[in-house]
Amino acid sequence: MTSPAKFRKDKEIIAEYETQVKEVRAQLLEQLKCLDQQCELRVQLLQDLQDFFRKKAEIEMDYSRNLEKLAERFLAKTRSTKDHQFKKDQNVLSPVNCWNLLLSQVKRESRDHATLSDLYLNNIIPRFVQVSEDSGRLFKKSKEVGLQLQEDLMKVLNELYTVMKTYHIYNMDSINAESKLKEAEKQEEKQISRSVRQEEKQTPRSPDALTNIKIEEKHIRRSSVKKIEKMKEKRQAKYTENKLKAIKARNEYLLALEATNCCVFKYYIHDLSDLIDCCDLGYHASLNRALRTYLSAEFNLAQSKHEGLEMIENAAENLNANSDKQCLMVTYNTVFCPPARFDFQSHMGDTVAHICAQPPVQGELLQRCQQLQSRLSTLKIENEEVKKTMEATLQTIQDIVTIEDFDVSDCFQYSNSMESVKSTVSETFMSKPSIAKRRANQQETEQFYFTVWFFHPQSTTVLLG
Amino acid sequence: MTSPAKFRKDKEIIAEYETQVKEVRAQLLEQLKCLDQQCELRVQLLQDLQDFFRKKAEIEMDYSRNLEKLAERFLAKTRSTKDHQFKKDQNVLSPVNCWNLLLSQVKRESRDHATLSDLYLNNIIPRFVQVSEDSGRLFKKSKEVGLQLQEDLMKVLNELYTVMKTYHIYNMDSINAESKLKEAEKQEEKQISRSVRQEEKQTPRSPDALTNIKIEEKHIRRSSVKKIEKMKEKRQAKYTENKLKAIKARNEYLLALEATNCCVFKYYIHDLSDLIDCCDLGYHASLNRALRTYLSAEFNLAQSKHEGLEMIENAAENLNANSDKQCLMVTYNTVFCPPARFDFQSHMGDTVAHICAQPPVQGELLQRCQQLQSRLSTLKIENEEVKKTMEATLQTIQDIVTIEDFDVSDCFQYSNSMESVKSTVSETFMSKPSIAKRRANQQETEQFYFTVWFFHPQSTTVLLG
């Protein structure tokens, strides 16, 4: 048999279990605290979201009003122009069309940002309010369920405690009964061995004298043995009874142990997870819908803006000097239409209405014609040169004024850091040396163009020279 | 010969021409006035564009600052949280991730609108300033050229006037010379016929007496005829000379007429068009570039906004209750990890650690086992029912909270009228009867779910019953 020092004492086992249960209880409390904290954070987040969208709604409304004012300022100016015909005439010009579309775009953006503000206030914020209400309610109910589940779990642990202690008591009783039985068995053994030794000692004596003593002694010994046997029997019964009780108590303990472990497993693995699920019920989905409402609003705003910008893009592509010139000439046709042809007015019935090239003037006319022809052919060559120069000059100017220098994508490329943002665009468009050089070149070319135009001889006037 | 009443008088023709020239001169003046007006309108439009973008830059900067303040207000709150570990823990939760991205988006929009404002001020406005300068300069130069061209044209018209008058004078001289010549011819005829008649009358007279008279008379007659002939010759020469002059003058007139008509045609058809082209030189192209800079800025802003929104969209799609639950449980694993399994603690060296089912307890245990088994099978059926009910209830709630009610495209559909815009969104999201009904349904279902959960028996506790 092993020494008793190797067995843990009852008290030790009980104290260890009590500590274990205390730890579980503390953990359960922590769990509820943790859920409370999550609930608080959620309420705070939803409050922040509401505050955020309320403030942003104000900003959007402000922006919308400013844009509205801006558009109205210029539209009022156009409206105040009393001359409707003049207004109509101007509107056909491509730059005026662009300008009108710019103002329309501002009106459109104003309206869209007002709609955005409205959606924040009357759709998105109410959603967060709703989510907050739902979350609070669900947390409260989940906590109630959680408390009930924890109570049930603690009941189970306490049951185990009781059952374990019962096992200890019954097992101790069984051990005690066993040791008492063993003591009785020892006494019986002792008595039996003593009787045997005395009978062996009495053998050499006279038979008659000893017979009486022997009988007497035998009688005493027998009654003693019987007594011991009776005690042993009683103790045997007691032991059997206690042993059975101890076995039953151990069985109960083992069953309770199994059930407790199952309950603990179920609580930690299923119930806690279910509890968190219940707290979250609909939270993510509702949050998702609120955010998607925000996204839908923003994407629609972007879409609307894009459509407006495309109209301006289209108008900018249709900026056309030639068609504007035609429009101008049609609009002011009385100012630009050529006068009637100057006809020959015959004098006093002069019936000849053509050049006479008969002999008296023939020679002179022929000579003059030849001179003019030679002058014209020189001029023609000169004009071809001038024309080429002017066309080349014009092309240079066209190249300068149509240079594709309008892509500002770079200004919207930032480093990934969202914190330290200070726009680096500020270099003025005009301050770039390349642009200054280009402008100087443009003006010089333009000056040259006008000089050529101004001073080159007009072939039509040569006839009158 | 036609009657003189049929010829238009010189004065009439001259007056008509003068009126024609006067009209042309007035029209030329109108043309310059018209160009001046176009120039003024252009300058005004470019001024309006500058004012517009200056004001819009202010509005954008204002908007940017307000967005920045908004983001900072909430970011400061996050930053003030001293517990970095806690902050880090929170950031892994999907709703917190969405919230952080929302704030980033506001920062991004703030930065982009500041960039937009900057581009307005330092790129787009300088372009309009440039276009305005160029336009003014080109108008001035074109007007100079135009004045020169008009002066040339007037010179031509005046030349024609002179040449026409010369033709009139010379033609008149020619007509006069002709009539004088005709008069001389008539006189000569008369003289000749008179001589013939006198010679016939003198035939009956005596020859001698008459001879002297005859000779004398003959002499006189002859000298008279000679005189007339001489005069006629002189007049003939005069007439021939004047006739030639008249023909030459008419030729000059006809040539000048042709040249003038050519000049007029050239001026009205080519020069005026060239003049307007010169006024427009680069105007449309530069305006186009300025507008395309604006468009590039706006499209890039929209692009940047879109990218940010897509990040939020992605985060909203990743809103996930399950992964958040896992995160929470991992983060607070000491709070959520199950306790160690409760093991059998043997009492005082009790070597049996399993349930004894030998004869004395066998019957009882078997009976108990049968009872438990029958109770469990009943519970199992009940639980299956409860599980189905709960799953169906949960599905109902899921269906309610995942309803796709977030599309707000309708709010951005307007009638085409850009004037009368008053957003019609204002009906609160919550005020819709369908939503109120849905919410009531959601809460009822939720209540039912909790009731079922709260009251249905837990099979694990049955073992301890």
Side-chain angles (χ1 to χ4, degrees):
Chain A
M1 262 176 97
T2 46
S3 79
K6 281 204 169 168
F7 309 142
R8 294 174 64 205
K9 285 179 186 159
D10 305 13
K11 277 188 184 167
E12 228 173 78
I13 292 169
I14 295 293
E16 191 187 83
Y17 184 74
E18 277 172 347
T19 307
Q20 254 180 303
V21 170
K22 213 186 268 171
E23 276 170 12
V24 168
R25 190 194 301 277
Q27 208 193 20
L28 295 182
L29 227 84
E30 280 301 309
Q31 284 164 6
L32 291 182
K33 262 194 205 163
C34 184
L35 290 185
D36 275 345
Q37 191 198 35
Q38 288 306 309
C39 175
E40 268 167 43
L41 286 169
R42 195 165 287 185
V43 167
Q44 186 55 53
L45 176 64
L46 289 162
Q47 190 56 52
D48 281 352
L49 281 164
Q50 288 168 53
D51 291 349
F52 171 83
F53 278 103
R54 200 166 289 118
K55 186 73 197 144
K56 191 153 195 281
E58 269 175 42
I59 294 171
E60 297 299 338
M61 199 31 113
D62 226 49
Y63 185 54
S64 165
R65 281 204 202 96
N66 285 332
L67 291 178
E68 170 80 14
K69 258 189 260 165
L70 173 63
E72 273 311 311
R73 184 170 143 185
F74 291 98
L75 286 171
K77 217 169 147 183
T78 318
R79 274 190 221 106
S80 72
T81 308
K82 284 284 177 292
D83 190 342
H84 288 285
Q85 189 53 47
F86 176 74
K87 231 165 74 187
K88 222 174 125 191
D89 293 346
Q90 286 302 305
N91 282 343
V92 298
L93 298 180
S94 56
V96 178
N97 183 38
C98 287
W99 169 235
N100 288 338
L101 285 176
L102 262 181
L103 294 179
S104 293
Q105 177 69 1
V106 170
K107 287 278 278 184
R108 182 182 197 136
E109 286 179 22
S110 162
R111 196 187 49 194
D112 287 349
H113 281 273
T115 304
L116 194 65
S117 175
D118 198 39
L119 283 170
Y120 284 175
L121 288 178
N122 295 314
N123 187 329
I124 295 168
I125 292 174
R127 282 176 189 268
F128 287 123
V129 172
Q130 229 176 66
V131 176
S132 200
E133 278 172 19
D134 291 352
S135 255
R137 201 177 55 246
L138 284 167
F139 258 111
K140 206 170 145 253
K141 283 189 190 162
S142 301
K143 207 178 160 185
E144 278 169 24
V145 172
L147 273 169
Q148 182 64 46
L149 290 169
Q150 291 191 350
E151 217 171 88
D152 290 348
L153 183 65
M154 288 315 294
K155 219 188 263 170
V156 169
L157 292 177
N158 286 332
E159 286 263 341
L160 181 63
Y161 182 67
T162 310
V163 169
M164 184 170 73
K165 280 206 290 194
T166 305
Y167 158 60
H168 283 190
I169 289 164
Y170 285 166
N171 201 50
M172 186 51 86
D173 286 353
S174 166
I175 288 166
N176 286 340
E178 191 183 16
S179 68
K180 271 186 184 162
L181 172 64
K182 276 191 179 147
E183 198 184 307
E185 278 172 349
K186 232 182 253 169
Q187 274 182 19
E188 189 193 32
E189 226 169 79
K190 226 192 262 167
Q191 193 63 40
I192 288 164
S193 70
R194 200 191 295 156
S195 298
V196 172
R197 258 183 284 128
Q198 275 183 351
E199 267 170 34
E200 280 170 358
K201 249 197 267 172
Q202 280 161 1
T203 322
R205 279 203 216 165
S206 68
D208 284 353
L210 288 172
T211 307
N212 279 347
I213 299 164
K214 228 170 138 179
I215 291 164
E216 210 175 301
E217 277 182 349
K218 224 174 202 168
H219 185 76
I220 290 164
R221 271 202 309 271
R222 257 180 209 154
S223 84
S224 173
V225 166
K226 252 182 200 158
K227 231 162 127 189
I228 286 169
E229 262 174 5
K230 215 170 174 183
M231 187 185 76
K232 202 198 90 180
E233 263 164 34
K234 244 173 90 185
R235 289 195 175 176
Q236 178 67 53
K238 186 80 181 173
Y239 168 65
T240 307
E241 186 198 328
N242 281 355
K243 181 77 191 169
L244 188 65
K245 271 190 181 167
I247 287 169
K248 278 187 180 173
R250 191 180 57 212
N251 278 353
E252 286 304 319
Y253 174 40
L254 283 163
L255 279 172
L257 205 58
E258 198 60 37
T260 302
N261 279 323
C262 277
C263 281
V264 169
F265 177 83
K266 181 182 165 285
Y267 174 80
Y268 275 87
I269 304 307
H270 297 296
D271 293 346
L272 269 179
S273 180
D274 288 351
L275 265 182
I276 296 173
D277 284 349
C278 256
C279 289
D280 290 346
L281 195 61
Y283 173 63
H284 291 75
S286 299
L287 212 57
N288 173 286
R289 277 155 60 222
L291 285 172
R292 287 178 79 171
T293 308
Y294 157 75
L295 289 167
S296 172
E298 292 282 1
F299 280 132
N300 272 292
L301 178 122
Q303 176 61 26
S304 171
K305 180 172 179 159
H306 210 276
E307 279 167 20
L309 290 175
E310 274 174 349
M311 283 165 73
I312 297 175
E313 196 174 36
N314 195 40
E317 267 168 34
N318 287 331
L319 277 170
N320 188 311
N322 259 326
S323 69
D324 280 357
K325 185 173 68 180
Q326 292 312 318
C327 281
L328 188 75
M329 287 184 147
V330 167
T331 306
Y332 300 100
N333 67 324
T334 53
V335 177
F336 290 105
C337 75
R341 225 186 119 75
F342 292 100
D343 286 329
F344 174 71
Q345 302 293 337
S346 79
H347 183 256
M348 299 290 279
D350 186 1
T351 51
V352 183
H354 54 80
I355 288 171
C356 281
Q358 265 86 43
V361 291
Q362 193 180 27
E364 203 184 322
L365 272 178
L366 273 172
Q367 195 188 352
R368 194 159 152 209
C369 184
Q370 278 160 3
Q371 278 170 353
L372 278 175
Q373 269 171 352
S374 99
R375 175 97 183 91
L376 268 177
S377 59
T378 317
L379 262 182
K380 229 177 187 171
I381 293 161
E382 271 180 42
N383 264 3
E384 276 304 310
E385 283 305 305
V386 168
K387 203 181 156 199
K388 268 186 210 159
T389 308
M390 285 180 86
E391 273 172 6
T393 312
L394 214 53
Q395 192 52 55
T396 307
I397 296 176
Q398 288 296 347
D399 288 347
I400 294 171
V401 296
T402 56
I403 190 162
E404 304 213 334
D405 61 352
F406 40 74
D407 185 357
V408 292
S409 310
D410 286 352
C411 305
F412 290 87
Q413 308 292 329
Y414 312 92
S415 63
N416 282 331
S417 137
M418 292 300 276
E419 292 294 324
S420 68
V421 168
K422 206 66 222 164
S423 166
T424 52
V425 200
S426 286
E427 193 190 2
T428 309
F429 167 72
M430 302 285 279
S431 69
K432 287 184 189 161
S434 63
I435 286 163
K437 203 175 156 193
R438 205 206 302 159
R439 271 189 74 64
N441 188 15
Q442 180 185 339
Q443 287 185 34
E444 215 172 277
T445 314
E446 182 188 302
Q447 184 57 48
F448 177 69
Y449 181 79
F450 274 100
T451 309
V452 173
W453 192 19
F454 207 78
F455 291 106
H456 97 270
Q458 307 280 320
S459 47
T460 43
T461 55
V462 167
L463 283 165
L464 300 158
Chain B
M1 262 177 98
T2 46
S3 80
K6 281 206 173 168
F7 310 141
R8 293 176 64 205
K9 287 182 182 154
D10 305 14
K11 276 189 184 167
E12 227 174 80
I13 292 169
I14 296 291
E16 191 187 82
Y17 184 75
E18 277 172 349
T19 307
Q20 256 182 301
V21 171
K22 212 185 269 172
E23 275 169 11
V24 169
R25 190 193 302 275
Q27 207 192 19
L28 296 182
L29 227 83
E30 280 302 310
Q31 285 163 6
L32 292 181
K33 261 194 207 163
C34 184
L35 290 185
D36 275 344
Q37 189 197 37
Q38 288 306 308
C39 176
E40 267 167 44
L41 286 170
R42 196 164 287 187
V43 167
Q44 186 55 54
L45 176 63
L46 289 162
Q47 190 57 52
D48 280 352
L49 280 164
Q50 288 168 53
D51 291 348
F52 171 84
F53 278 104
R54 200 166 289 118
K55 186 70 198 147
K56 191 152 196 281
E58 269 175 41
I59 294 172
E60 297 298 339
M61 199 29 114
D62 227 48
Y63 185 55
S64 164
R65 281 204 202 98
N66 285 333
L67 291 178
E68 169 80 12
K69 257 189 258 164
L70 173 63
E72 273 310 312
R73 183 171 143 186
F74 290 98
L75 286 171
K77 216 168 146 185
T78 317
R79 275 191 219 107
S80 72
T81 307
K82 283 283 177 293
D83 189 344
H84 286 286
Q85 188 54 46
F86 176 74
K87 233 166 72 186
K88 222 174 126 191
D89 293 344
Q90 287 301 306
N91 283 342
V92 296
L93 297 180
S94 56
V96 178
N97 183 39
C98 287
W99 170 235
N100 289 337
L101 285 175
L102 263 181
L103 294 179
S104 294
Q105 177 68 1
V106 170
K107 286 280 278 187
R108 181 181 198 137
E109 286 179 22
S110 162
R111 196 187 50 195
D112 287 349
H113 282 272
T115 304
L116 194 64
S117 174
D118 199 39
L119 283 169
Y120 284 174
L121 289 177
N122 295 314
N123 186 329
I124 295 169
I125 292 174
R127 282 175 188 269
F128 288 122
V129 172
Q130 230 176 64
V131 176
S132 199
E133 277 172 21
D134 291 352
S135 253
R137 199 179 55 244
L138 284 167
F139 259 110
K140 205 170 147 254
K141 284 190 188 160
S142 301
K143 207 177 158 185
E144 280 170 22
V145 173
L147 273 168
Q148 182 63 47
L149 290 169
Q150 291 190 352
E151 217 171 273
D152 291 348
L153 183 65
M154 287 315 295
K155 219 188 262 170
V156 170
L157 292 177
N158 288 332
E159 287 265 340
L160 181 62
Y161 183 68
T162 310
V163 170
M164 183 170 74
K165 281 206 290 195
T166 306
Y167 157 59
H168 285 190
I169 291 163
Y170 285 166
N171 202 48
M172 187 49 86
D173 287 354
S174 165
I175 289 167
N176 287 340
E178 191 183 14
S179 66
K180 273 188 181 161
L181 173 63
K182 278 187 177 149
E183 199 183 306
E185 279 171 348
K186 234 183 253 167
Q187 276 184 19
E188 188 192 32
E189 228 168 76
K190 231 193 265 167
Q191 192 63 39
I192 289 166
S193 68
R194 201 191 294 155
S195 302
V196 172
R197 259 184 283 127
Q198 275 184 356
E199 268 171 30
E200 279 169 359
K201 253 198 272 174
Q202 281 161 6
T203 320
R205 279 204 214 163
S206 65
D208 282 349
L210 283 176
T211 304
N212 278 347
I213 297 165
K214 229 168 124 182
I215 290 167
E216 210 173 302
E217 274 182 356
K218 227 177 204 170
H219 186 74
I220 290 167
R221 271 203 313 268
R222 258 185 208 150
S223 86
S224 175
V225 166
K226 255 185 196 158
K227 232 164 128 190
I228 286 169
E229 262 176 6
K230 218 173 175 183
M231 187 185 74
K232 204 196 89 178
E233 263 164 35
K234 242 172 90 183
R235 287 193 178 180
Q236 179 66 53
K238 186 83 179 163
Y239 167 66
T240 306
E241 187 198 331
N242 281 355
K243 183 75 191 167
L244 189 62
K245 270 190 184 170
I247 286 170
K248 278 188 181 173
R250 191 180 58 212
N251 277 354
E252 287 302 321
Y253 174 40
L254 282 165
L255 279 172
L257 206 55
E258 199 58 39
T260 302
N261 279 324
C262 278
C263 281
V264 169
F265 177 82
K266 181 181 167 286
Y267 174 81
Y268 276 87
I269 304 307
H270 297 295
D271 292 347
L272 268 179
S273 181
D274 288 351
L275 265 182
I276 297 174
D277 284 348
C278 257
C279 290
D280 288 345
L281 195 59
Y283 173 62
H284 291 74
S286 299
L287 212 57
N288 174 285
R289 277 156 60 223
L291 285 172
R292 286 179 78 172
T293 308
Y294 157 75
L295 289 168
S296 172
E298 291 283 359
F299 280 133
N300 273 291
L301 178 121
Q303 175 62 27
S304 171
K305 180 171 179 162
H306 210 276
E307 280 167 21
L309 290 175
E310 273 175 349
M311 283 166 74
I312 297 176
E313 194 174 36
N314 194 39
E317 268 168 33
N318 286 330
L319 277 171
N320 188 312
N322 258 328
S323 69
D324 280 357
K325 184 172 69 182
Q326 293 311 318
C327 281
L328 189 75
M329 285 184 150
V330 167
T331 306
Y332 299 100
N333 67 325
T334 53
V335 177
F336 290 105
C337 75
R341 222 185 120 77
F342 292 100
D343 286 329
F344 175 71
Q345 301 293 334
S346 81
H347 181 257
M348 299 289 279
D350 187 0
T351 52
V352 183
H354 54 80
I355 287 171
C356 280
Q358 265 86 42
V361 290
Q362 194 180 30
E364 206 185 323
L365 273 178
L366 275 172
Q367 196 188 349
R368 197 161 150 206
C369 184
Q370 277 159 5
Q371 278 168 358
L372 278 175
Q373 269 170 349
S374 99
R375 176 96 185 89
L376 269 176
S377 58
T378 316
L379 262 182
K380 228 176 188 169
I381 294 162
E382 271 179 44
N383 264 4
E384 276 304 310
E385 283 306 305
V386 169
K387 202 181 156 198
K388 269 184 209 161
T389 308
M390 285 180 86
E391 273 171 7
T393 312
L394 215 54
Q395 193 52 53
T396 306
I397 296 176
Q398 290 294 347
D399 289 348
I400 294 171
V401 297
T402 55
I403 192 163
E404 303 213 333
D405 61 352
F406 40 74
D407 185 356
V408 292
S409 311
D410 286 351
C411 304
F412 290 87
Q413 309 292 329
Y414 312 92
S415 64
N416 283 330
S417 137
M418 292 301 276
E419 293 294 324
S420 69
V421 168
K422 206 64 222 164
S423 166
T424 52
V425 201
S426 285
E427 193 190 5
T428 310
F429 167 72
M430 302 285 278
S431 70
K432 287 185 190 160
S434 63
I435 286 163
K437 203 174 155 191
R438 206 207 302 160
R439 269 189 74 63
N441 189 13
Q442 180 184 342
Q443 289 186 30
E444 215 172 278
T445 315
E446 182 187 304
Q447 184 58 48
F448 177 70
Y449 180 78
F450 274 101
T451 308
V452 173
W453 193 19
F454 207 77
F455 292 106
H456 98 271
Q458 307 280 318
S459 47
T460 44
T461 56
V462 167
L463 284 166
L464 301 157

